[in-house]
Amino acid sequence: MLCEKCGKNEAAIHYSENINGKKKTLALCRDCVPKNNLGVSILSGFFGGIGSDQSRIIPAKRTDFKKCPVCGISFDMIAATGMVGCSECYRVYKQELTPTIRRIHGDTVHKGISPDPHTGNEAEFEPNEAELRRKLDEAVANENYELAAILRDKIRSLFENK
Amino acid sequence: MSWYTKTGADSDVVLSTRCRLARNIEKLPIGERLSDKEAVAIIEDTGKALGGGFDRIDFDRIDPLTSAAYVEEHIVSSEFVSIRSPHTLYKNDESGIYIMVCEEDHYRIQAIIRGNSAAEAYRRAAEAEKAISENCKFAFDPTLGYLTRCPTNLGTAMRISGMMFLPAMKKFGEISLLAESLSRLGFTVRGMYGEGSDAVACLYQISNSVTLGLSEEETLTAFSKVTAAVIEAERRFRQKLLVPQTLDSVIDTVCRAYGTLTFAHMMERREFLPLWVEIRLGVSLSKLSQTNDILESLTYETLDTLLIEAEPSVLMLMQGGAELSPRERDIHRAALIKDRLTPQHKNNN
């Protein structure tokens, strides 16, 4: 559902206003929500909107009622607690979590060690070159050159020097 | 013999260094979404992977006093104690390895080393992590790194921290400036035994706040540089206390603290902590200026062990584990302090 104010972005929350006893609800994107109604608590700010003032800001209703197949958690619950229910949530809710992760860590990618490839699960654990190249293309298309440079260096160090 | 009874490098400023690695097993729920059966399976598998050398403590089966004592010893978090489903600590006191299983993440692998020793703490934690990984598959993503329950820990999922004793910097009002400078470098300063800059025991935990985008090696190098700078700054401010204008009043304060601690019949924890600070500072200044034989003969291990022994739950466990009233605790605390700080105690050992 698109934002009912700007009509450009995907609606993220339902915003309710009470004017002279008459309640009006609009589906708005984060850019169009009045600023004083955002960021009630640190984590609710990170995840896009559930805070102590829940009567005014609630997550937009989803039509698919998505649940993580491993732990069964909904994104609303992740937003409320600030924590995922299992590691699979990062894949299932990738789109929803990406802005949060970017807000916490910036446009950075993992640079540390990877799990021991000798555990017998190399294929799944090894960084995936195709995935990294796809992210690189995406970063260039979005003119995010800082992230593109990091991804380029990572691809070089992992695959081109072998 | 727990981690805090040992000797370590730069102990005049650094009480301990801790390295914590968070890990989760892939395709399994975490936290309250994990079933008791799954939690028990993880706990059992961990025991097999670690082999001998570790004590297993099932926290859902131990008494509240013992579990509270583990929190006071800084071995487990207070959150760990409050979990209702199966959760276990695997510990090896000799190597300072303490693994919380089924905490916020499936694994919180910690190595706690006395003194300033980041590289060694990491080495030991990584060794335990490797042993566990033989029996399971950790959740990992090439871009996000190790997948943790809270997104703030993504990446290396490593927290390296030092417990620093900074009384001179506090006396000269330098703590907020330090916190501000370190924050710009990606490190956090948190007061222990109190909040923020009002840490009554002058103990501050310095830890990395960045986990994604920096490798373990880069983080450890940065941490070591930061720690070295803080140690140097604290020592410089201690030297300033040794100038003739302030030396006599500093010695007087320390000796009065020693007198109170060794002659009191009852000692409340809140009275003890600031006096402990004066004694620990006095010991380091005495070692620098040879001002007082008794203080000079006290060791940091004795004082740091005393800090933990004087905590309420540890104290009650030492007295046999019976619940004591605050008045009884204060009497036992005073006796313990007297015993630890008087030269007879040292001679008996």
Side-chain angles (χ1 to χ4, degrees):
Chain A
M1 184 181 188
L2 288 177
C3 171
E4 289 182 81
K5 191 172 177 188
C6 69
K8 291 176 193 167
N9 305 322
E10 192 68 23
I13 62 171
H14 280 173
Y15 175 70
S16 300
E17 274 182 338
N18 196 327
I19 300 166
N20 296 332
K22 202 172 176 183
K23 196 178 170 189
K24 188 182 169 190
T25 303
L26 287 170
L28 300 177
C29 68
R30 288 189 62 79
D31 291 346
C32 291
V33 178
K35 280 199 169 58
N36 59 356
N37 284 304
L38 285 175
V40 179
S41 75
I42 295 170
L43 280 176
S44 71
F46 275 142
F47 285 101
I50 300 182
S52 57
D53 194 1
Q54 291 190 25
S55 61
R56 302 202 70 181
I57 299 175
I58 53 169
K61 277 184 188 159
R62 291 180 182 77
T63 49
D64 55 357
F65 295 104
K66 192 158 71 176
K67 292 263 167 81
C68 172
V70 172
C71 65
I73 201 170
S74 65
F75 183 70
D76 292 352
M77 190 52 77
I78 295 178
T81 60
M83 292 186 188
V84 300
C86 70
S87 57
E88 192 68 6
C89 293
Y90 286 103
R91 194 183 60 76
V92 176
Y93 298 112
K94 187 175 178 180
Q95 201 184 338
E96 293 91 334
L97 283 169
T98 298
T100 303
I101 293 167
R102 200 168 282 169
R103 211 170 303 173
I104 300 168
H105 296 284
D107 283 329
T108 48
V109 295
H110 180 56
K111 242 179 115 182
I113 58 162
S114 303
D116 190 342
H118 300 297
T119 49
N121 300 297
E122 304 92 315
E124 287 179 57
F125 276 146
E126 277 288 309
N128 183 326
E129 186 178 1
E131 171 74 3
L132 286 177
R133 287 199 185 278
R134 193 192 59 70
K135 282 177 190 288
L136 173 61
D137 292 343
E138 197 179 285
V140 172
N142 293 333
E143 297 182 357
N144 188 345
Y145 298 116
E146 202 182 339
L147 175 63
I150 294 168
L151 289 164
R152 183 202 58 209
D153 292 345
K154 193 170 175 91
I155 292 167
R156 275 186 190 158
S157 69
L158 288 171
F159 306 107
E160 293 177 6
N161 294 333
K162 281 187 177 173
Chain B
M1 193 167 151
S2 208
W3 66 269
Y4 47 83
T5 57
K6 296 168 188 168
T7 54
D10 300 318
S11 280
D12 56 329
V13 180
V14 187
L15 274 77
S16 64
T17 311
R18 173 190 309 250
C19 179
R20 185 270 281 151
L21 301 172
R23 295 288 185 266
N24 288 292
I25 300 168
E26 65 165 27
K27 296 190 174 66
L28 263 186
I30 313 170
E32 65 278 2
R33 291 179 177 269
L34 189 75
S35 70
D36 284 6
K37 201 176 155 192
E38 288 167 324
V40 169
I42 295 175
I43 291 165
E44 296 292 342
D45 286 349
T46 307
K48 285 177 202 153
L50 290 170
F54 280 83
D55 295 328
R56 171 179 164 167
I57 295 115
D58 293 326
F59 265 63
D60 45 325
R61 292 185 191 165
I62 60 171
D63 62 279
L65 185 65
T66 308
S67 56
Y70 277 111
V71 177
E72 291 172 357
E73 290 179 301
H74 306 289
I75 288 174
V76 303
S77 60
S78 49
E79 291 80 11
F80 187 66
V81 170
S82 61
I83 295 170
R84 291 175 181 272
S85 50
H87 56 298
T88 290
L89 169 75
Y90 281 98
K91 70 175 186 125
N92 181 326
D93 285 325
E94 199 47 48
S95 55
I97 303 287
Y98 300 97
I99 303 162
M100 288 183 274
V101 188
C102 300
E103 206 240 23
E104 179 183 300
D105 293 289
H106 290 148
Y107 292 106
R108 289 288 175 104
I109 304 161
Q110 314 172 92
I112 314 175
I113 311 268
R114 278 280 295 169
N116 180 21
S117 189
E120 181 60 15
Y122 173 68
R123 192 190 67 74
R124 292 188 194 184
E127 200 175 275
E129 187 250 23
K130 191 170 183 302
I132 296 169
S133 75
E134 302 290 337
N135 261 14
C136 65
K137 198 167 157 186
F138 289 139
F140 181 80
D141 175 273
T143 309
L144 297 177
Y146 286 96
L147 301 176
T148 50
R149 190 161 182 225
C150 184
T152 52
N153 294 322
L154 287 168
T156 58
M158 178 181 86
R159 197 72 64 198
I160 182 85
S161 61
M163 203 199 288
M164 322 280 282
F165 179 63
L166 307 175
M169 289 185 82
K170 194 181 177 198
K171 274 184 204 289
F172 284 95
E174 292 287 319
I175 299 295
S176 25
L177 187 64
L178 174 78
E180 207 177 294
S181 324
L182 292 193
S183 149
R184 275 188 246 119
L185 298 169
F187 288 87
T188 306
V189 180
R190 190 168 67 89
M192 313 273 293
Y193 299 92
E195 286 302 313
S197 55
D198 288 329
V200 280
C202 292
L203 289 171
Y204 300 88
Q205 190 189 59
I206 294 178
S207 61
N208 62 308
S209 46
V210 181
T211 51
L212 189 65
L214 285 177
S215 69
E216 289 82 357
E217 199 182 336
E218 287 169 325
T219 306
L220 291 168
T221 305
F223 177 79
S224 297
K225 282 184 185 166
V226 159
T227 310
V230 174
I231 293 170
E232 200 263 318
E234 171 63 23
R235 285 179 182 159
R236 204 172 57 240
F237 282 107
R238 285 186 198 175
Q239 286 288 351
K240 284 191 180 182
L241 294 172
L242 292 174
V243 295
Q245 295 92 317
T246 54
L247 184 59
D248 286 327
S249 81
V250 170
I251 292 173
D252 185 57
T253 308
V254 173
C255 290
R256 282 168 185 275
Y258 186 82
T260 307
L261 286 174
T262 50
F263 279 90
H265 175 63
M266 292 170 75
M267 181 58 63
E268 274 187 64
R269 182 180 177 272
R270 66 178 176 183
E271 185 186 2
F272 165 66
L273 290 174
L275 296 173
W276 176 88
V277 171
E278 297 300 341
I279 297 291
R280 202 181 194 283
L281 176 63
V283 167
S284 86
L285 297 179
S286 297
K287 289 185 198 299
L288 291 173
S289 62
Q290 287 87 44
T291 46
N292 187 305
D293 287 347
I294 294 176
L295 290 177
E296 209 184 326
S297 67
L298 283 171
T299 65
Y300 295 120
E301 295 77 59
T302 304
L303 289 171
D304 299 347
T305 303
L306 176 61
L307 181 70
I308 288 175
E309 287 175 333
E311 289 288 90
S313 304
V314 177
L315 188 71
M316 287 191 278
L317 271 187
M318 287 171 71
Q319 301 303 322
E323 188 71 35
L324 301 174
S325 69
R327 185 186 59 84
E328 290 168 323
R329 276 206 304 264
D330 292 347
I331 292 170
H332 284 294
R333 185 179 290 113
L336 172 83
I337 294 166
K338 193 181 296 182
D339 178 65
R340 297 293 188 256
L341 295 187
T342 46
Q344 289 85 342
H345 172 71
K346 192 172 173 284
N347 294 339
N348 290 341
N349 287 306

